[in-house]
Amino acid sequence: MDEKWRPQFHFTPEKNWMNDPNGLVFFEGEWHLFYQYNPHGIGWGHMSWGHAVSRDLVRWGHLPVAIPEENGVMAFSGSAVVDWKNTGRFGKDGGGGAPPLVAIYTGHRVDGSNQSQFIASSTDRGRTWERFAGNPVLDEKLANFRDPKVCWDEKRGRWVMVVAVCEERKVRFYKSSDLKKWELMSEFGPAGSVEGVWECPDLFELAVEGEKPRTGGGIARKWVLVVSVSGGGPTGGNGVQYFVGEFDGERFVADDAGGPGSERGKVLWVDQGADFYAPQSWSDVPEADGRRVAIAWMVNGRYAGAVPTSPWRSAMTLPRELTLRKTDRGVVRLFQEPVKELEALRGEKIEIKKGAIEGVNMQLFDKSVKGELLEIAAKFRAGGVGAEKFGINVRVGANGEKTVIGYDTASGKMFIDRRKAGEVGFHQEFGSVHEAAIEMRDGMLSMRVFVDRSSVEVFANDGEAAMTELILPDPGSIGVEVWGESFGTLVEGMEVWRLKSVWR
Ligand code: FRU
């Protein structure tokens, strides 16, 4: 697929509207990606679960709609699990066969009067789905109660659901032995960012890298609660916050103990760019793999309906591996890096050796370094001469077009400036500059940048900060520039790969 602005290595539906990733589950060698989809148009509506599968998280096969809108009930966001023990009795031949997949999603009444939780099951590797006759399985008579994420609690041998009570800025935790009867355990919130309504929660446990095991052995582990917020995000509009804490099977308690190194009350954003929303992580990734992999809807709700692509609207971000690490400041934070499978896209490599930026906007590259699909890994060292600004421009065109990715040592902020990135006029807030706080490490800042036909994703200092932004450049704008605004900034090293399209 080769239309103008058609992502070449990000997932898009062939046509029509897409929003949140749903039902992310790994089963029998396939990464399933369901997604909010309008089968009938390029605007939001008739929400159904679209479906795609991949064996490598890079190339996706498109499958027919899995769960359509039915009888005045749309299929809103939710999750999916493998019911290994056939607890819900949806397995073939009473459970003797392969374990069933079970999807848990929000049934949204089109008249807006009710949102409740529904389930559907599949015994053919997600190809066809049957709705449970006893739906809804959880109805609290609320109009805004959505986006259930279900996981298996191994220790207690039961299912846990986290689901948003949107307007109250809360999530609730329920338990079940069979996916059909759910019992309330606890609530969390309001907390952190509360300007917008709460949506699309996710909950998972991760080892803490760099943390010494506690007495009694074992690795230090923490729980992460992710919550999407419809307003008040890092760039305005929607955003995704997270909490690190403990979950004892019933209750989530966020770490905000205060004391040295604590950042009590500070909102933690998963990604600080404009275009990252409603992420979800994959369920049932085999232990031998062991990764927590997530993907998000790559747009901001403020202008999602106005982005001038056709015949599709919206893409997913790159799939990312999430990790918890102790930072130099002694706090535990979520890091993210694109999954290693994406290295398969690497084509020709151009390596730039160490060099000094010796003047305003000096360009280290010869003009042969260009491309619309690129991965760039660069390490900058500040010269220590005071305020320094440096960075990389991508999708640079003769017409003055450019997307500026930079760092300002004075403010300690990375930024993306897309004011001249190409088409910006479709929404007044699109053509703007966004920032992310990220400290240099030993006087250095590393940036890993992925450039596709209509997006940039930047991962700084091994994924300590991430920024994801849409851009809509002219197809002819394919230049790359490295720049610095003061003497002394060093480029410690830089590698650039031309990336292959998944369509070819
Ligand atoms: C988030 C969201 C979810 C909802 C879905 C409907 O973008 O509003 O809360 O389930 O989209 O499409």
Side-chain angles (χ1 to χ4, degrees), residues 322-500:
L322 306 180
T323 47
L324 275 183
R325 297 185 202 164
K326 207 158 198 176
T327 70
D328 300 346
R329 298 187 312 285
V331 290
V332 177
R333 291 289 174 261
L334 195 63
F335 281 59
Q336 59 189 305
E337 286 172 290
V339 294
K340 60 179 186 311
E341 284 88 336
L342 291 159
E343 290 173 13
L345 293 171
R346 289 175 177 173
E348 185 200 350
K349 178 175 166 183
I350 304 139
E351 205 163 342
I352 285 95
K353 295 272 156 1
K354 206 168 165 143
I357 294 172
E358 289 166 335
V360 174
N361 290 342
M362 175 183 164
Q363 291 174 20
L364 279 178
F365 278 3
D366 64 58
K367 294 284 181 199
S368 67
V369 180
K370 53 177 89 154
E372 60 165 0
L373 313 178
L374 296 171
E375 177 185 346
I376 303 171
K379 200 174 239 180
F380 293 90
R381 179 187 288 282
V385 293
E388 291 171 54
K389 266 192 198 172
F390 52 79
I392 305 165
N393 298 341
V394 298
R395 302 305 305 264
V396 180
N399 50 6
E401 254 182 43
K402 60 180 171 182
T403 298
V404 183
I405 300 160
Y407 188 76
D408 182 348
T409 63
S411 64
K413 282 178 174 155
M414 171 164 88
F415 58 90
I416 297 180
D417 180 349
R418 62 176 177 188
R419 286 174 301 177
K420 292 191 188 141
E423 181 64 50
V424 294
F426 58 92
H427 190 274
Q428 60 186 43
E429 283 166 89
F430 188 82
S432 46
V433 188
H434 301 129
E435 302 174 330
I438 168 89
E439 280 169 33
M440 298 194 99
R441 214 184 274 160
D442 304 322
M444 288 191 283
L445 187 90
S446 69
M447 288 184 184
R448 200 160 156 218
V449 182
F450 285 80
V451 186
D452 199 345
R453 241 178 222 184
S454 50
S455 61
V456 288
E457 279 151 290
V458 187
F459 302 88
N461 284 353
D462 305 320
E464 186 173 348
M467 292 185 84
T468 300
E469 302 242 330
L470 290 183
I471 51 168
L472 298 159
D474 188 276
S477 300
I478 57 169
V480 177
E481 297 169 348
V482 182
W483 57 273
E485 285 190 355
S486 55
F487 290 89
T489 307
L490 279 176
V491 176
E492 285 280 328
M494 188 150 174
E495 294 167 305
V496 182
W497 290 268
R498 291 213 170 90
L499 298 184
K500 291 175 243 174

Side-chain angles (χ1 to χ4, degrees), residues 19-20 36 44 47 76-77 146-147 199 277 297:
N19 54 292
D20 319 352
Q36 286 290 283
W44 187 91
M47 298 323 294
F76 267 23
S77 286
R146 59 179 177 269
D147 310 335
E199 302 182 315
Y277 199 59
W297 179 35

Side-chain angles (χ1 to χ4, degrees), residues 200-270:
C200 300
D202 197 355
L203 176 75
F204 46 86
E205 192 186 21
L206 284 173
V208 182
E209 295 175 15
E211 174 100 300
K212 299 236 167 56
R214 270 166 268 183
T215 39
I219 352 166
R221 300 179 78 82
K222 286 268 177 203
W223 286 83
V224 181
L225 174 65
V226 178
V227 178
S228 289
V229 292
S230 69
T235 73
N238 50 27
V240 183
Q241 63 173 336
Y242 70 96
F243 303 90
V244 180
E246 304 294 343
F247 180 70
D248 63 2
E250 290 198 0
R251 194 170 293 279
F252 178 85
V253 180
D255 293 349
D256 60 354
S262 125
E263 295 173 322
R264 188 203 288 260
K266 190 178 159 194
V267 176
L268 304 175
W269 299 107
V270 176

Side-chain angles (χ1 to χ4, degrees), residues 93-126:
D93 320 320
L101 297 182
V102 178
I104 308 95
Y105 62 97
T106 297
H108 167 87
R109 291 199 84 87
V110 294
D111 64 10
S113 62
N114 180 273
Q115 289 181 345
S116 45
Q117 314 323 322
F118 285 51
I119 59 178
S121 62
S122 168
T123 51
D124 58 358
R125 295 158 56 243

